[in-house]
C-alpha cells in the first residue's frame, strides 16, 4: 500500500506567472513615474535661473533662425475669442496637451505588452532611459516655458481658454514643475510611440503613426508650453536611447507558409498512381525525388 502527499496549493501555471509578471511591470512603471514626478519638483524654486535660461534659449533660436513659436500660435488662435470654431480649435489643442500625453503612452505600452512582448521590453527600456535623461536635464537646466517669457509675447492658451494643467503661479503649483520645459517629454514620448508602432506592426499605413508626434509638436509649440529646441533636444535624447537599448530580435528563418494543399486522392486513383510508378522507366527511377518534384 503506497501513500502520497497532496500539494498544499495549485502549482504555478502559465496564468499565474502571467499575472505576477503583469503586476511586476505595473509596479515598475508606476515606480519609475513616481520617481520622475518627485525628481521634477526639486527645481520648482529656481525661478531666476529658469528665466535666465529662457532668455538664452530664445536668443539661441533667433540666432539659429528657427521659426518663431508665435507663428504657430497665431494660426491656432485665428478666430479665437469670438466663439465658434476659433475657440473650439484652441480648446481642442489645450485638451490634447492635457489629456493625450499619458493615456496614449499607457495604451501604447499595454498593447505592446499584450501583443508584442519583445517590443514591449524594448519600448519600456527606451522610455525609461529617455525619461531618466530628461529628468537629469530638468534638474541641471531649469527652463521657463515661452508662455512665461515677456520677450516672446505669447498667450498662455491653457489659462485663457482652458483647460489648463498648470496653475497661474508656478510656485503654488504642487502637482507639476512648470520649469521643466527642456526637453519636451510630450514630444519625446509621442515620437517613441510612433517609432514603436512602426517597428511592431506590418501595415502599409504604419508610417501614419508619425502624425501623432507631428501633431504633438504643433500643439506644444502653439500653446506656448515648449520651444522648438525643447523638441529638438528630446529627439536627440531619444536617438541616444535607441542606440543604447538593443532592438528586439525578429525571427528571420521561419518556415514558408503552405498556401495550397493538394486534394486527397481516391483509393482507385492512389492505386493507379502506384502502378504507374512501377511501370516508370529506369531513368526516372534513378533520377531521384528532384525529377518528380518531391520535396519542392
Amino acid at each position: 500500500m503506497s501513500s502520497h502527499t497532496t500539494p498544499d496549493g495549485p502549482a504555478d501555471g502559465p496564468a499565474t506567472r502571467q499575472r505576477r509578471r503583469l503586476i511586476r511591470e505595473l509596479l515598475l512603471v508606476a515606480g519609475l513615474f513616481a520617481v520622475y514626478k518627485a525628481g521634477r519638483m526639486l527645481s520648482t524654486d529656481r525661478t531666476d535661473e529658469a528665466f535666465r535660461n529662457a532668455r538664452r534659449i530664445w536668443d539661441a533660436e533667433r540666432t539659429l533662425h528657427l521659426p518663431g513659436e508665435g507663428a504657430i500660435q497665431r494660426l491656432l488662435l485665428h478666430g479665437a475669442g469670438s466663439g465658434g470654431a476659433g475657440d473650439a480649435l484652441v480648446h481642442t489643442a489645450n485638451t490634447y496637451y492635457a489629456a493625450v500625453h499619458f493615456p496614449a503612452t499607457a495604451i501604447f505600452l499595454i498593447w505592446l505588452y499584450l501583443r508584442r512582448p519583445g517590443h514591449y521590453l524594448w519600448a519600456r527600456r527606451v522610455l525609461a532611459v529617455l525619461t531618466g535623461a530628461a529628468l537629469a536635464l530638468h534638474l541641471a537646466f531649469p527652463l521657463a516655458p515661452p508662455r512665461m517669457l515677456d520677450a516672446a509675447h505669447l498667450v498662455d492658451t491653457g489659462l485663457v481658454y482652458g483647460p489648463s494643467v498648470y496653475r497661474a503661479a508656478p510656485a503654488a503649483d504642487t502637482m507639476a514643475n512648470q520649469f521643466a520645459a527642456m526637453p519636451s517629454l510630450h514630444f519625446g514620448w509621442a515620437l517613441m510611440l510612433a517609432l514603436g508602432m512602426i517597428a511592431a506592426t506590418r501595415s502599409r499605413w504604419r508610417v501614419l503613426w508619425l502624425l501623432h508626434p507631428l501633431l504633438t509638436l504643433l500643439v506644444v509649440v502653439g500653446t506656448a508650453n515648449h520651444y522648438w529646441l525643447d523638441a529638438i533636444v528630446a529627439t536627440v535624447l531619444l536617438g541616444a536611447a535607441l542606440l543604447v537599448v538593443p532592438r528586439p530580435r525578429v525571427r528571420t528563418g521561419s518556415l514558408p507558409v503552405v498556401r495550397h494543399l493538394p486534394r486527397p486522392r481516391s483509393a482507385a486513383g492512389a492505386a493507379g498512381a502506384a502502378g504507374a510508378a512501377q511501370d516508370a522507366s529506369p531513368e526516372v527511377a534513378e533520377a531521384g525525388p528532384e525529377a518528380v518534384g518531391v520535396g519542392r
Side-chain angles (χ1 to χ4, degrees):
M1 184 175 185
S2 61
S3 61
H4 64 277
T5 58
T6 302
D8 295 335
D12 288 348
T16 302
R17 291 193 295 270
Q18 185 72 7
R19 284 194 298 269
R20 289 180 178 175
R21 181 188 171 199
L22 176 59
I23 293 173
R24 184 174 64 251
E25 289 295 330
L26 290 175
L27 292 176
L28 176 61
V29 173
L32 291 174
F33 178 72
V35 171
Y36 168 71
K37 293 292 288 185
R40 278 174 50 127
M41 302 307 296
L42 295 178
S43 61
T44 54
D45 57 348
R46 299 163 65 182
T47 303
D48 294 339
E49 185 179 358
F51 277 93
R52 284 197 301 271
N53 290 333
R55 288 188 288 271
R56 291 167 182 163
I57 291 296
W58 183 260
D59 293 339
E61 287 190 341
R62 307 292 77 79
T63 301
L64 295 172
H65 301 289
L66 294 178
E69 287 81 359
I72 303 300
Q73 187 171 89
R74 284 192 293 272
L75 293 175
L76 181 64
L77 295 180
H78 182 71
S82 58
D87 286 357
L89 179 60
V90 66
H91 189 273
T92 300
N94 291 331
T95 303
Y96 191 93
Y97 179 85
V100 173
H101 177 48
F102 287 110
T105 307
I107 293 172
F108 164 64
L109 290 174
I110 291 172
W111 186 87
L112 288 182
Y113 179 85
L114 296 175
R115 302 295 299 273
R116 303 288 191 274
H119 286 82
Y120 164 78
L121 291 175
W122 168 65
R124 189 249 285 164
R125 290 166 181 164
V126 170
L127 285 174
V129 172
L130 169 63
T131 305
L135 176 58
L137 191 53
H138 290 162
L139 298 177
F141 192 80
L143 178 65
R147 55 186 167 82
M148 296 183 183
L149 187 63
D150 293 337
H153 302 292
L154 297 175
V155 177
D156 187 341
T157 60
L159 188 62
V160 175
Y161 298 97
S164 176
V165 296
Y166 305 116
R167 294 190 178 183
D173 200 334
T174 59
M175 298 300 295
N177 178 14
Q178 299 193 41
F179 297 146
M182 173 78 74
S184 171
L185 280 179
H186 271 75
F187 179 74
W189 286 11
L191 183 57
M192 181 56 205
L193 185 155
L195 296 179
M197 291 303 296
I198 291 174
T201 58
R202 292 293 177 266
S203 170
R204 68 177 63 182
W205 304 106
R206 64 186 184 275
V207 70
L208 294 179
W209 283 106
L210 291 173
L211 292 176
H212 174 50
L214 176 60
L215 180 59
T216 300
L217 176 62
L218 296 178
V219 165
V220 300
V221 172
T223 57
N225 283 294
H226 286 284
Y227 305 88
W228 294 112
L229 281 176
D230 296 339
I232 294 174
V233 172
T235 303
V236 173
L237 292 179
L238 177 59
L242 291 171
L243 291 176
V244 171
V245 179
R247 288 284 303 272
R249 295 181 179 179
V250 180
R251 295 189 306 173
T252 58
S254 57
L255 295 176
V257 178
V258 178
R259 300 185 182 277
H260 302 286
L261 294 176
R263 295 182 179 179
R265 298 179 179 180
S266 62
Q278 291 179 356
D279 295 338
S281 62
E283 290 80 7
V284 175
E286 293 175 359
E290 291 78 9
V292 293
V294 177
R296 292 186 182 177

